[in-house]
Amino acid sequence: MNHPLGRFAAQEIRSLGRRVASHYYTAPVAPSLRMTERECDLGRNDAQRSVRHDKFTDEPYHVPRMKLIDGKALAAAIRAEVADDVKKLPSPPGLGVLLVGDDPASRVYVGLKEKTATEAGIRTDIRRLPASATDDELVGIIRQWNEDGSVNAILVQLPLPSGHDTDKVVSAVHPMKDVDGFHPANVEALFEGTGLIIPPVHEGIMRLIASTGLDPRGKSATIIANSDTFADPLHHLLRRAGFVTAMMQPDDLDAETLLQSDVAVVAIGRPGFLGSDLVKNGAVVIDVGTTKDERGCVRGDADMEDFRNKDVWITPVPGGVGPMTVALLLKNVVRLVELQRPSRSLSRAEPRGSGCQRLATRSSSRE
């Protein structure tokens, strides 16, 4: 039985790109990103000149330049769809968010999610707890939300502070309210091809690839990641879409495989790790990394300066995967509302004997 994102990817990677091809920017990127880039001295001014002249003959010649995949524009369209969908619901959906500790990045992410959710008409219940809160306290809040019919979706902001049992806390979320798709039942369903909730970051990556118009059939994709938790689901989804997929650790790169890849996804938290010498012309580079440097500027795992005259599609940081992840998280809230409707037809929206019926059974068996 095909997985929903497998079906989405196979169809949308071929069609979505054609529908949104007008939403990308070649360097320099969208005006909303220019100030950040100027402040961080990325120095992409030369990249906007695609034709230069030889200094001896004055003959014009073409200079390849990177094409930035504008995640902000794509995310804005998704958020608009979510807002329209929310207006059609009998009542505004509710999102419970659990933030533990005072990690600056997590606080920023939760603030952004709260802001965009409110703009889309989604109610939020943000619980901010100190790092000293016990796992039992966290699980207690989650169980309250599980029983609260006004809360349709639950998010545990990760990573949790040191000393907390992430598996225990995430597993406490009812799979039918798991907006991130991280509950063990949802992960299992994803690999079985019967899942109905797709992790927003993974769906965001698939949609960003789709926006370039790349046909996945017979193409190759390489994932560079430190975490199997991140890499394994993406590997599965890319294969279902039609890619021949490889995974590798950053300290054990297979340069030959990487250079032959049509898509490179990098998520390791090492600013500027991926250079243009490891990627072929015409490839798609999805940069999932977000790390602040000593000046407080956010850097991705790809060396954007090095790529500026490379003929590739690439996601900027910020402005690529991040906005898509937030927008698709909101879309998952609406999906969960639909899954929770008592009158929902199994035959219409889920494979028989799977989906929410099986997820509810799995959850009950664990409690």
Side-chain angles (χ1 to χ4, degrees):
M1 194 71 68
N2 288 331
H3 184 273
L5 189 52
R7 295 194 298 271
F8 161 81
Q11 298 168 5
E12 292 296 289
I13 283 188
R14 292 192 292 270
S15 63
L16 183 62
R18 289 191 289 271
R19 296 202 305 271
V20 300
S22 62
H23 291 297
Y24 76 86
Y25 292 82
T26 49
V29 292
S32 60
L33 293 179
R34 287 177 187 155
M35 182 58 69
T36 299
E37 292 176 357
R38 188 177 300 119
E39 291 172 346
C40 293
D41 297 323
L42 289 183
R44 292 187 196 149
N45 291 335
D46 288 341
Q48 59 186 316
R49 294 185 293 165
S50 61
V51 177
R52 301 181 189 175
H53 290 75
D54 186 280
K55 64 181 179 180
F56 297 112
T57 66
D58 201 35
E59 290 294 320
Y61 64 93
H62 175 72
V63 177
R65 58 181 179 180
M66 62 183 180
K67 298 179 284 291
L68 298 186
I69 308 171
D70 190 356
K72 281 193 171 182
L74 297 174
I78 294 169
R79 292 200 310 272
E81 292 174 6
V82 171
D84 288 341
D85 290 339
V86 168
K87 291 176 183 177
K88 298 173 185 176
L89 297 174
S91 60
L95 169 64
V97 180
L98 190 57
L99 173 61
V100 185
D102 56 2
D103 178 71
S106 292
R107 292 169 68 90
V108 170
Y109 294 149
V110 168
L112 179 59
K113 292 167 185 175
E114 182 179 18
K115 177 178 181 291
T116 55
T118 300
E119 291 173 347
I122 297 172
R123 294 178 294 101
T124 58
D125 180 2
I126 313 294
R127 304 289 182 93
R128 296 175 171 86
L129 280 77
S132 59
T134 66
D135 287 344
D136 288 340
E137 290 179 87
L138 308 184
V139 170
I141 293 172
I142 292 171
R143 285 179 175 167
Q144 290 176 8
W145 281 336
N146 285 341
E147 299 298 324
D148 188 346
S150 68
V151 177
N152 304 99
I154 299 171
L155 168 69
V156 178
Q157 180 63 42
L158 300 176
L160 292 175
S162 176
H164 286 278
D165 187 341
T166 299
D167 290 341
K168 176 181 178 179
V169 175
V170 170
S171 296
V173 178
H174 194 290
M176 290 290 290
K177 294 191 175 186
D178 172 27
V179 74
D180 255 339
F182 291 156
H183 189 282
N186 285 325
V187 174
E188 181 183 344
L190 178 72
F191 284 100
E192 289 180 352
T194 60
L196 296 168
I197 296 300
I198 303 148
V201 65
H202 295 113
E203 183 172 358
I205 290 169
M206 301 300 287
R207 285 178 177 255
L208 288 164
I209 296 171
S211 72
T212 69
L214 178 68
D215 186 338
R217 292 172 295 188
K219 300 297 192 303
S220 59
T222 295
I223 304 166
I224 308 169
N226 292 319
S227 167
D228 290 341
T229 302
F230 166 81
D232 287 345
L234 182 60
H235 178 262
H236 175 78
L237 296 172
L238 287 166
R239 287 187 63 187
R240 280 190 167 271
F243 288 100
V244 177
T245 310
M247 296 192 299
M248 55 185 70
Q249 297 282 330
D251 294 325
D252 190 24
L253 289 182
D254 181 343
E256 183 177 353
T257 297
L258 188 54
L259 276 168
Q260 294 174 353
S261 296
D262 300 288
V263 174
V265 180
V266 57
I268 58 174
R270 298 188 190 180
F273 174 85
L274 185 67
S276 63
D277 59 323
L278 292 171
V279 178
K280 71 178 184 180
N281 283 322
V284 176
V285 178
I286 305 296
D287 190 348
V288 188
T290 53
T291 305
K292 280 192 175 182
D293 63 17
E294 62 279 359
R295 294 176 296 171
C297 294
V298 178
R299 297 289 196 221
D301 292 339
D303 187 343
M304 293 293 284
E305 176 68 15
D306 192 42
F307 274 102
R308 64 177 180 169
N309 290 327
K310 184 84 171 185
D311 183 16
V312 296
W313 287 91
I314 191 168
T315 55
V317 177
V321 175
M324 289 292 285
T325 300
V326 173
L328 289 164
L329 182 140
L330 302 182
K331 195 168 186 66
N332 269 357
V333 174
V334 177
R335 285 170 175 162
L336 288 170
V337 172
E338 173 66 16
L339 293 176
Q340 293 161 16
R341 287 172 54 186
S343 60
R344 184 172 171 274
S345 169
L346 286 176
S347 61
R348 175 175 60 84
E350 67 181 85
R352 186 175 299 277
S354 63
C356 57
Q357 186 179 50
R358 291 179 61 186
L359 291 178
T361 302
R362 289 172 182 158
S363 177
S364 298
S365 67
R366 286 181 167 87
E367 295 173 354

